[in-house]
Amino acid sequence: MKTYRSYFKPLAIGAPTPFTEPPVALERMIHFVPPHIEKMRAKVPQMISQVDVILGNLEDAIPADEKLNAREGFIQMANDNDFGSTKLWTRINSLESPWVLDDITEIVTRCGNKLDVIMLPKVNGPWDIHYLDQLLAQLEAKAGVTKPIQIHAILETAEGVNNVEAIATASPRMHGMSLGPADLAASRGMKTTRVGGGHPDYQVLADANGDAPRTRYQQDLWHYTVAKMVDACLAAGIKPFYGPFGDFSDAAACEAQFRNSFLMGCLGTWTLHPSQIGIAKSVFSPEPEEVKFARRILEAMPDGTGAVMLDGKMQDDATWKQAKVICDLADLVISKDPELAETYR
């Protein structure tokens, strides 16, 4: 266990000082781009203003014979564009892969000052974060990178879920975590080929009532894991995210899954298809009426103490904290999204 003083020291001479407080950013959707495809890279300049995060994907869904092209495409994409307030991330290959070392060294040395976050797949424990943490510090120092590159872990192995609290506090570089349901399902031996979402066979039955048909209720396979991830992240002061929803043809189910994770505390999600961007923006931005009511709570209790009655409901210090969460998120949305800003005023 590192001491408090050493925890926030750079891990290499000349590396930037780690964040003591993570940067504040709106990250409702992490939009995945396959950078080995030139026509997809060509859409990035128009996409920047539409999303909160652009992520160049180097891992799953990139064929083995396109891995090097994806890396080069990402570096070109990073250097050719001004991302403004939109964040730039990449998902590198997993640590056991033959491509990962060159992913890290090439990207940090050639476009490190443009990069905000590295998403690390298949994190099993804090040792994976420690390895990347040290290597990033060495490369940042060598390349003259001026701000720390953060690490975002994907929770997609049974071992990783078992070590989630230790992963969350492994480094001051930790940005957050995302649920990776497909690989996690395989790691756990779950009997599903779905990428996120519910399953028609995961259900409970209503109590028997004579000979009347018993109603079936479909349950959420991922509720336990999302809840565990949210608790670990928020306890550590980092950010939890839902991951992919693979059925692009089912917008309603996608929205339901995103909304469940939003209500449980997730700050955003992955968008793998342009049709999911609008869904994520809608779900992970608070409802205007809820924002207006939350602002009334803060106005009625300026110092967050005591109790007041609003519309026949008691509000106290606990609901003040809930209102503060909603208002802080609304203020972030206002700073990024002019259309929604008007509805919050």
Side-chain angles (χ1 to χ4, degrees):
M1 175 70 72
K2 286 188 178 182
T3 65
Y4 176 82
R5 289 181 182 274
S6 64
Y7 187 81
F8 289 103
K9 285 184 178 179
L11 295 181
I13 297 170
T17 301
F19 295 116
T20 55
E21 290 290 339
V24 176
L26 185 66
E27 294 158 329
R28 295 165 295 180
M29 75 294 293
I30 305 164
H31 189 63
F32 276 55
V33 174
H36 63 296
I37 302 175
E38 186 175 356
K39 70 176 183 179
M40 300 303 293
R41 292 200 308 271
K43 295 179 179 179
V44 167
Q46 292 74 41
M47 188 70 67
I48 288 171
S49 63
Q50 300 174 30
V51 300
D52 299 332
V53 176
I54 294 278
L55 179 145
N57 182 30
L58 309 185
E59 198 220 8
D60 289 352
I62 307 298
D65 60 358
E66 291 286 357
K67 293 288 189 180
L68 302 187
N69 289 334
R71 184 193 305 145
E72 288 299 316
F74 174 75
I75 293 168
Q76 179 183 339
M77 184 179 87
N79 289 325
D80 286 353
N81 290 284
D82 179 1
F83 292 88
S85 63
T86 297
K87 302 303 179 182
L88 177 65
W89 297 21
T90 185
R91 178 171 72 167
I92 59 175
N93 287 285
S94 59
L95 291 180
E96 74 273 17
S97 78
W99 306 284
V100 67
L101 185 58
D102 286 340
D103 286 348
I104 301 165
T105 55
E106 290 291 312
I107 287 170
V108 175
T109 55
R110 293 170 62 189
C111 63
N113 275 312
K114 300 291 285 285
L115 185 64
D116 294 293
V117 175
I118 284 179
M119 182 180 278
L120 182 62
K122 301 175 179 66
V123 175
N124 288 313
W127 50 86
D128 292 334
I129 305 299
H130 296 159
Y131 170 81
L132 182 56
D133 191 7
Q134 184 78 68
L135 182 55
L136 284 174
Q138 293 166 337
L139 292 170
E140 287 167 343
K142 179 180 179 180
V145 174
T146 56
K147 66 175 181 178
I149 297 167
Q150 293 185 279
I151 299 171
H152 184 100
I154 312 179
L155 200 59
E156 52 187 342
T157 69
E159 189 174 9
V161 174
N162 197 44
N163 292 315
V164 65
E165 293 89 354
I167 293 168
T169 57
S171 164
R173 289 186 191 272
M174 283 300 296
H175 166 276
M177 294 187 205
S178 289
L179 174 71
D183 277 295
L184 180 55
S187 175
R188 284 175 167 166
M190 295 168 67
K191 311 307 185 287
T192 176
T193 57
R194 296 184 174 207
V195 180
H199 195 288
D201 293 333
Y202 192 68
Q203 56 186 238
V204 295
L205 284 176
D207 290 347
N209 183 17
D211 295 329
R214 298 174 69 181
T215 304
R216 294 175 179 269
Y217 299 95
Q218 185 170 318
Q219 304 294 292
D220 184 359
L221 283 166
W222 308 109
H223 183 87
Y224 160 78
T225 308
V226 171
K228 190 170 183 179
M229 178 184 72
V230 168
D231 283 347
C233 286
L234 271 295
I238 65 174
K239 304 174 183 180
F241 290 75
Y242 189 72
F245 186 86
D247 188 351
F248 304 150
S249 66
D250 194 344
C254 177
E255 180 175 352
Q257 196 70 35
F258 287 179
R259 192 165 299 282
N260 286 348
S261 62
F262 173 71
L263 290 171
M264 289 181 69
C266 289
L267 299 181
T269 188
W270 301 6
T271 52
L272 306 183
H273 188 273
S275 65
Q276 296 180 335
I277 293 172
I279 300 172
K281 182 179 289 191
S282 173
V283 168
F284 289 93
S285 302
E287 293 288 339
E289 291 307 312
E290 193 169 27
V291 172
K292 291 173 184 176
F293 187 70
R295 293 204 192 282
R296 289 178 60 199
I297 294 174
L298 299 189
E299 290 166 3
M301 303 171 61
D303 63 357
T305 64
V308 297
M309 295 294 291
L310 288 179
D311 300 341
K313 298 177 182 178
M314 189 189 79
Q315 311 297 329
D316 59 13
D317 57 340
T319 52
W320 186 92
K321 293 171 186 174
Q322 292 175 297
K324 186 72 164 56
V325 168
I326 293 169
C327 291
D328 287 350
L329 177 55
D331 290 340
L332 272 179
V333 173
I334 287 169
S335 70
K336 172 80 177 181
D337 201 323
E339 292 180 8
L340 278 173
E342 290 303 313
T343 69
Y344 289 162
R345 299 189 190 281

